[in-house]
Amino acid sequence: MRLAELVRDIRKSRGISQATLADLAGTTQSKISGIENGKANVELATLRNICAALDAEVVIIPRRTIGAVQSIIDEYLNRDRRLRSESVMSVRDELFIPDSDD
């Protein structure tokens, strides 16, 4: 997925307009529009501000390690799904840590 699509999809999922995102990120609506349409080059500082406004992170991954990193990301995302699907009998069951004598 390209940066333009990611920014647009995340912004829309947060329910905010380009103008609101621009205001939160300290840039202009036309810059956000250009980024989302793939027509504007974005500086790293601007990208970090946009990500902060969207409650997202910028992660730079060297191409040589992409396979290993992708599997780590997939595992992490699947872990979140597994955690949501596991049932907890009670708060006590979730927090119970047995003593070493048990």
Side-chain angles (χ1 to χ4, degrees):
M1 188 176 270
R2 294 182 42 203
L3 176 65
E5 296 164 342
L6 285 170
V7 171
R8 182 177 37 251
D9 290 349
I10 296 170
R11 176 184 60 79
K12 286 183 175 184
S13 74
R14 301 288 192 266
I16 60 175
S17 67
Q18 287 181 346
T20 300
L21 176 57
D23 187 47
L24 292 171
T27 190
T28 63
Q29 185 274 329
S30 62
K31 183 70 168 180
I32 298 295
S33 177
I35 293 167
E36 288 186 359
N37 290 312
K39 300 192 189 278
N41 291 324
V42 60
E43 294 178 8
L44 184 57
T46 302
L47 181 58
R48 291 183 70 193
N49 290 342
I50 290 169
C51 288
L54 294 172
D55 192 27
E57 290 188 44
V58 176
V59 178
I60 299 173
I61 302 169
R63 287 185 182 153
R64 283 178 255 142
T65 61
I66 193 70
V69 171
Q70 186 63 49
S71 67
I72 292 168
I73 292 168
D74 290 343
E75 182 180 318
Y76 177 78
L77 294 173
N78 289 331
R79 179 190 65 88
D80 282 351
R81 287 187 197 116
R82 283 192 311 269
L83 289 176
R84 280 186 242 131
S85 66
E86 293 176 1
S87 63
V88 176
M89 300 304 283
S90 71
V91 173
R92 182 183 172 278
D93 292 339
E94 180 71 10
L95 299 176
F96 179 70
I97 302 172
D99 293 335
S100 59
D101 294 337
D102 289 347

